[in-house]
Structures are given as C-alpha cells and as structure tokens.
Amino acid sequence: MMRLCRFELHGAEKLGVYQDETVLELKNLQQEFGLPADHRIALVDFLPGGQFHSQLQALMSEPSSSLDLVEHAHSAIKLLVPIPNPSKLLLLAGNYAKHVEERGDVAEERARTFPYVFMKPPTTTLTHPHDPIQIPKASPDQIDWELELGVVIGQRCSNVSEENALAHVAGYTIVNDITDRNFRPNPDRAERPRDKFFDWLHGKWHDTFCPMGPCVTSATEIPDPQSLAMSLRANGEVEQNASTSEMVFPVASVISFISQFVTLEPGDIISTGTPAGVGHAKARFLRPGDHVAGTIEKIGILENPVVASPA
C-alpha cells in the first residue's frame, strides 16, 4: 500500500513509505528523479497529481527497483506532519448527523442545507504525530477531541463538479480537530449576537490544536473514501467508533462546494468533520497526562499525549 510520510532522522527531514511498524526511507530520491541534492522534497509531488507520482509508482512496483530503501523502526525516527505548510487548512463543522444530534441540534437533510466550512491557522495548530496537545492556561477545562478524515488536494481545481472532484485528490490522512468548548474571552464583556459563534471559532485556534498524520495514503489506494472505519481512543477507552459513510456531505460534494468560491491548490487540506462520541456529549474532557489515538482504516494511527501548556 502506498502510504507516504515525512520523518526526521539525525536532524534531517526525509521522505518514506509508512508501514505499521516501520518506515522505508526513500534514500536516493534526488538521484533517481534528477534533483539537486539540496532540493526540498514535497510529499504531494509523489502522490496523484504530483509531477513524480507515476515515476515513483513505477519504481515501487519493480521487483528489482533501483530505489534505495532503508527500513527504520518507528521508535528510531520522529514522524512529522505529512503536509507541513498547507496554503489552506479547511475544516467542516456538523458533517455527521449523529454528532449534530449529540450537540442537541437537528441535522437537516443535505438538500436543505450546505457544508459549514471554517479554517485553522496551519503553522501554529498543526502538530506532529506523538507530539503533545497543549492544554491552554487561558481556558483549560473543556478541551475536546474530534477525529476526522483529512483530504489532501493534489491538483488545482476551481468550480469542479461533484462527479469529477475525487480526481483532484492526492490522498487521505488523519486529523484530530482539538476544540476548546468553553473559550470565552473577556467574561465581563457586553454580549453581542455573534459572540457565541466567535467563541466557538476561536476555541479551534489554540496552538497545537490540529494533530495530523501519521502519513498520507495515496488516493489510488482509497477509491471510495466513504467506506472507511474510524475510531478514537482516549486513555485506551473507545470514545468514537464510526464510518466515513455517515457523512452528510461526502468528500466529493465537499470539494465541489468549496471549489465554487475558493480555488483549491496542491497541498491544501480539507478535514471533513467528526462523528458522534466527542467528549462534550459525555462531560469528559482532555487533561494533562491523557493520551489520544485516532485510527482510520487504510491510513494508520495518529497518537498524541496531552500536556499543560508551558506558556
């Protein structure tokens, strides 16, 4: 299975093929693809839509490939966020009916509504696999998990139809949309009609609040993103257990919708919403010392400890 990852070894960033227990370092990529030795390799270049995808796929399928593959145990490397600087980090709210209902709201039929899309600041929220989620001192009491399927865009698209949308996907990853359910700046404020919405939005933006990884599974390996089992454990206990088939707006529909008013570019991330089972519905929230692990079929496991923010 073609699952690509970024990792660090001896202080150097590298590209590899992710496996459940090990990573195969693609050691001589620059040489194989005629790139300068100091060329900074982007993972999306080797996924569907990328300039080197077909060549890598051919090399990986050859029994006597000239690729120099070096195997490393996960414990010997540091896994990194697979797409470190997406130009857009877009996320969906309320895209699973049961999650909407556990919040006490009514999930409208798809024909009567539209996807709610918001953004997170990528450079400060994206968090590597195994790196800590930090509980903010400003609002520490209701920090929640949200396991989501992340979509990596591989080809620039604008006004794409739902029927053609998946052709623009490079691959899929795991996102944990960490959320502060009780962020309320300036408690002595004069209430305004939109305060509740902005409290919710700003509660998505704390540093470290978007773990992502551990890899990107090529879109060629997941022709149907609406049939993936997904689950999240907190301290070993199953909290979310669902399937991507439960989305109100499937991946193709989401891409088509967003592309009607935003041009999507290679490396953009769309996180497609979370199923039922969030902590808020159970009055169970993350605390320093906790550990969360999100699993999505055909991708892997995204694990992160939870610590108190040092700042």
Side-chain angles (χ1 to χ4, degrees), residues 294-308:
T295 303
I296 298 183
E297 182 184 0
K298 297 185 178 180
I299 302 174
I301 304 175
L302 173 63
E303 299 186 65
N304 297 92
V306 181
V307 303

Side-chain angles (χ1 to χ4, degrees), residues 49-72:
Q51 58 181 322
F52 302 125
H53 170 247
S54 297
Q55 192 175 346
L56 178 61
Q57 199 171 38
L59 284 170
M60 291 294 294
S61 64
E62 292 176 6
S64 57
S65 173
S66 56
L67 279 175
D68 185 4
L69 300 175
V70 180
E71 190 168 30
H72 304 286

Side-chain angles (χ1 to χ4, degrees), residues 6-17:
R6 292 173 61 249
F7 66 96
E8 184 179 292
L9 180 66
H10 305 311
E13 291 184 16
K14 299 178 180 292
L15 187 69
V17 177

Side-chain angles (χ1 to χ4, degrees), residues 1-309:
M1 181 176 289
M2 182 66 77
R3 295 184 290 177
L4 299 183
C5 65
R6 292 173 61 249
F7 66 96
E8 184 179 292
L9 180 66
H10 305 311
E13 291 184 16
K14 299 178 180 292
L15 187 69
V17 177
Y18 182 86
Q19 301 182 117
D20 291 339
E21 302 294 334
T22 62
V23 167
L24 297 177
E25 178 186 352
L26 299 167
K27 199 164 186 180
N28 60 334
L29 275 183
Q30 282 92 342
Q31 178 183 332
E32 284 294 326
F33 293 98
L35 301 170
D38 60 351
H39 180 80
R40 189 175 180 86
I41 294 173
L43 189 146
V44 291
D45 289 342
F46 298 91
L47 291 166
Q51 58 181 322
F52 302 125
H53 170 247
S54 297
Q55 192 175 346
L56 178 61
Q57 199 171 38
L59 284 170
M60 291 294 294
S61 64
E62 292 176 6
S64 57
S65 173
S66 56
L67 279 175
D68 185 4
L69 300 175
V70 180
E71 190 168 30
H72 304 286
H74 286 185
S75 59
I77 62 171
K78 176 179 174 56
L79 287 164
L80 303 174
V81 166
I83 311 294
N85 293 297
S87 61
K88 304 176 196 68
L89 179 54
L90 304 159
L91 302 96
L92 265 67
N95 197 33
Y96 285 76
K98 290 181 182 178
H99 173 53
V100 174
E101 291 161 6
E102 74 177 351
R103 297 186 328 215
D105 296 324
V106 176
E108 293 285 358
E109 293 294 332
R110 175 180 167 184
R112 291 166 51 87
T113 184
F114 62 92
Y116 282 166
V117 184
F118 63 98
M119 301 182 76
K120 285 195 176 195
T123 57
T124 49
T125 59
L126 282 175
T127 299
H128 302 305
H130 303 290
D131 272 10
I133 298 162
Q134 297 180 9
I135 303 294
K137 290 183 178 180
S139 181
D141 296 328
Q142 293 190 26
I143 308 305
D144 206 347
W145 56 80
E146 292 192 14
L147 174 66
E148 308 194 359
L149 176 68
V151 179
V152 181
I153 298 298
Q155 295 185 50
R156 183 182 177 93
C157 60
S158 179
N159 294 304
V160 67
S161 68
E162 187 169 340
E163 291 72 24
N164 295 323
L166 294 185
H168 297 81
V169 175
Y172 301 91
T173 189
I174 302 173
V175 171
N176 194 347
D177 173 20
I178 303 298
T179 303
D180 180 352
R181 304 287 185 194
N182 194 40
F183 194 48
R184 198 172 185 276
N186 189 5
D188 298 324
R189 66 199 185 185
E191 293 290 340
R192 295 169 295 174
R194 287 175 290 190
D195 281 5
K196 185 177 180 180
F197 167 76
F198 280 99
D199 288 346
W200 170 84
L201 180 63
H202 297 158
K204 299 279 190 178
W205 289 358
H206 296 302
D207 291 353
T208 76
F209 268 29
C210 197
M212 184 172 75
C215 62
V216 176
T217 299
S218 170
T220 58
E221 305 283 353
I222 303 178
D224 179 12
Q226 306 309 142
S227 61
L228 303 174
M230 56 195 305
S231 66
L232 180 136
R233 293 176 181 264
N235 302 323
E237 296 292 325
V238 176
E239 301 289 354
Q240 294 182 285
N241 190 20
S243 167
T244 56
S245 64
E246 300 171 27
M247 290 183 192
V248 176
F249 294 94
V251 171
S253 171
V254 171
I255 293 171
S256 176
F257 171 74
I258 295 173
S259 77
Q260 305 309 309
F261 56 97
V262 175
T263 297
L264 294 170
E265 302 167 292
D268 286 351
I269 307 293
I270 303 173
S271 194
T272 53
T274 197
V278 299
H280 182 67
K282 314 165 193 178
R284 192 178 306 160
F285 299 104
L286 294 173
R287 299 282 185 263
D290 288 348
H291 178 272
V292 289
T295 303
I296 298 183
E297 182 184 0
K298 297 185 178 180
I299 302 174
I301 304 175
L302 173 63
E303 299 186 65
N304 297 92
V306 181
V307 303
S309 173

